[in-house]
Amino acid sequence: MKIGLFIPCYVDAVYPDVGVATYKLLKSLKLDVTYPLNQTCCGQPMANAGFEKMGLSLAEKFEEMFKDFDYVVAPSVSCTAFVKINYPRLLEGKHECVTAGKIMDVVEFLHDVIKVKQLPGDFPHKVSLHNSCHGVRELGLSSPSEMNVPKFNKIRDLLELKKGITVVEPERPDECCGFGGMFSVEEKDICAQMGYDKVKRHIATGAEYVTGPDCSCLMHMAGVADKRDMKIKFIHAVEILAAGL
């Protein structure tokens, strides 16, 4: 299978190590991975701000760039969910839309398609798992607490393949951290308080790290923790999965 690696803007600009870890991890599994060099934004920021038509050209470029791959894999649940859910509507009648059916978050891809059962290296630390809203309710990476369904968590399944790791979850495990894209700009005080409450719950687990599948949530909580001198570290789930490569 041919895999196109999509690295979203904020990962490329702020957390490039997450992109590198994703590439290394996929290559270590002997997969045919290509990183198209001319890729750009998927258009989510424009849509979140209420100007989704301004992102149409970006969606069309995304389609052209990734349409020939069997899978498009990204280390970002929010960008993955945007393409998967919104592209069919945005591109309807304007452009062929095939990437919506091919794109997957890296956790979803490793768990559901590759069905990874072992990973090299260890991570001898206690980590508190952050279940991002898009991942829970749009990509199905874990079971939503408001639904009467059997509990599952694909992120945890993969993390627990690393030797030495202890994975815990905070009280109210899938409650929003408050980031929410434009919400963090328009309602910054509410956003900050939600972030503070969430970080406190992660710290209460006794974990050394907070981990999850989306840099935007981790970035927000890390900012809250740093401003308030809260002693906990943050790391993307894929960086743990790739540790030791």
Side-chain angles (χ1 to χ4, degrees):
M1 66 179 75
K2 292 172 57 182
I3 300 163
L5 179 60
F6 170 50
I7 302 298
C9 314
Y10 70 101
V11 177
D12 179 54
V14 184
Y15 297 101
D17 288 348
V18 172
V20 172
T22 304
Y23 181 80
K24 285 183 176 179
L25 181 57
L26 294 173
K27 291 295 286 185
S28 75
L29 296 169
K30 310 301 182 185
L31 298 171
D32 181 5
V33 184
T34 300
Y35 173 66
L37 294 178
N38 293 323
Q39 61 182 270
T40 56
C41 177
C42 65
Q44 181 183 196
M46 296 79 163
N48 284 350
F51 301 98
E52 64 178 23
K53 289 183 179 179
M54 294 177 66
L56 181 58
S57 62
L58 295 175
E60 291 174 335
K61 180 173 182 177
F62 188 97
E63 278 291 320
E64 285 297 322
M65 182 160 290
F66 287 104
K67 67 180 182 180
D68 294 327
F69 291 100
D70 298 308
Y71 290 95
V72 183
V73 177
S76 167
V77 295
S78 59
C79 295
T80 299
F82 180 73
V83 172
K84 192 180 194 71
I85 294 170
N86 292 284
Y87 270 25
R89 177 180 54 80
L90 288 176
L91 295 172
E92 185 177 8
K94 304 178 184 71
H95 198 286
E96 181 185 12
C97 181
V98 297
T99 56
K102 296 181 177 184
I103 193 165
M104 302 183 83
D105 175 76
V106 62
V107 168
E108 181 184 20
F109 178 73
L110 294 174
H111 189 279
D112 294 355
V113 178
I114 304 302
K115 302 185 186 300
V116 173
K117 299 301 181 185
Q118 60 181 13
L119 289 169
D122 60 1
F123 194 79
H125 303 282
K126 188 175 185 179
V127 301
S128 184
L129 179 53
H130 181 72
N131 301 293
S132 299
C133 299
H134 287 91
V136 176
R137 296 176 179 87
E138 294 187 328
L139 298 184
L141 298 187
S142 58
S143 51
S145 57
E146 70 272 12
M147 300 292 287
N148 185 23
V149 297
K151 189 174 182 181
F152 67 90
N153 196 308
K154 298 175 185 180
I155 318 161
R156 185 170 192 148
D157 288 347
L158 291 177
L159 289 172
E160 289 182 339
L161 295 176
K162 300 295 286 191
K163 293 178 181 178
I165 196 169
T166 301
V167 183
V168 295
E169 292 183 70
E171 179 189 10
R172 303 163 93 168
D174 59 355
E175 183 177 73
C176 181
C177 68
F179 181 66
M182 287 301 295
F183 176 80
S184 64
V185 177
E186 297 167 347
E187 300 289 350
K188 62 180 182 179
D189 292 334
I190 298 175
C191 168
Q193 185 61 48
M194 291 175 70
Y196 176 58
D197 290 343
K198 192 71 184 185
V199 174
K200 283 197 299 182
R201 292 191 182 100
H202 281 301
I203 289 175
T205 67
E208 301 169 67
Y209 291 89
V210 177
T211 192
D214 207 325
C215 287
S216 56
C217 298
L218 298 173
M219 175 177 65
H220 169 55
M221 291 186 289
V224 169
D226 182 63
K227 187 173 183 178
R228 294 176 180 253
D229 198 29
M230 302 169 83
K231 305 300 184 184
I232 197 163
K233 295 174 282 189
F234 296 81
I235 184 171
H236 193 284
V238 79
E239 293 181 283
I240 295 177
L241 300 180
L245 292 178

